[in-house]
Amino acid sequence: AQKITQTQPGMFVQEKEAVTLDCTYDTSDPSYGLFWYKQPSSGEMIFLIYQGSYDQQNATEGRYSLNFQKARKSANLVISASQLGDSAMYFCAMRETNTGTASKLTFGTGTRLQVTL
Amino acid sequence: DVKVTQSSRYLVKRTGEKVFLECVQDMDHENMFWYRQDPGLGLRLIYFSYDVKMKEKGDIPEGYSVSREKKERFSLILESASTNQTSMYLCASSYRGRSTEAFFGQGTRLTVV
């Protein structure tokens, strides 16, 4: 079964608009972390934002915010005021706390975002 | 700045060759990971390591092995390369703990002919 599901292979958004990238996850671990990464065409992986499973508030980092709905097991990324430089591949990832060993970091299939004028 | 360095940016190998992909990190991270990235499939975890000489299988370990003899170095080994192992390989490292983000290398594009 997929641990991380990103159902939008591609998205378009106009410059200055907000966009939501969907991510749902599956885990039985009560303690986990959720991450979003950006991968521009250059190929580097850039960490954007983190949400812990016990965090009471939704995470925010500048124009990025995470809409965390624990009961629905979703962790959607919201980008406000989109810019041309936001055009990239976006990956959702989950880190589960495996008892006594390293915590596995699992990624989704990604969403390609294209920002248009 | 955290640095994760992969030994090669591009590699071309022949079918059946033994291939070594090297990754070095300079942040004293406990955890290291190897992923392969293919279009439409995202990043798939091959192996990860949480300490020297310790390793765990990821989701697609078949055809691969790993070695971690020193804390800063994590090697991915393709025992007998096949064309279906043509891919982008990404190494990452992180501190222990669920809240710590992983830092990635620049990737190695491996082509097996």
Side-chain angles (χ1 to χ4, degrees), chain A residues 31-33 35 37 39 42-45 47 50 52-55 89 91 95-98 100-110, chain B residues 9 31 33 35 37 40-45 48-50 56-59 90 92 94-106:
Chain A
S31 176
Y32 53 89
F35 301 81
Y37 282 82
Q39 187 181 46
S42 58
E44 62 191 305
M45 291 285 284
F47 164 70
Y50 163 79
S53 57
Y54 293 122
D55 294 345
M89 197 75 170
F91 291 100
R95 175 161 243 171
E96 297 167 281
T97 309
N98 300 58
T101 64
S103 42
K104 189 175 173 181
L105 181 61
T106 306
F107 283 78
T109 52
Chain B
R9 191 82 169 97
N31 297 340
F33 307 84
Y35 295 90
Q37 182 177 7
L41 298 178
L43 277 72
R44 293 181 292 167
L45 182 63
F48 63 108
S49 168
Y50 53 93
E56 289 211 10
K57 292 180 181 179
D59 299 315
L90 292 168
S94 77
Y95 289 116
R96 200 164 280 157
R98 64 174 172 84
S99 65
T100 59
E101 78 265 30
F103 295 85
F104 282 80
Q106 77 277 27

Side-chain angles (χ1 to χ4, degrees), chain A residues 78-91:
Chain A
V78 181
I79 306 174
S80 62
S82 297
Q83 302 171 356
L84 294 177
D86 293 335
S87 294
M89 197 75 170
Y90 288 82
F91 291 100

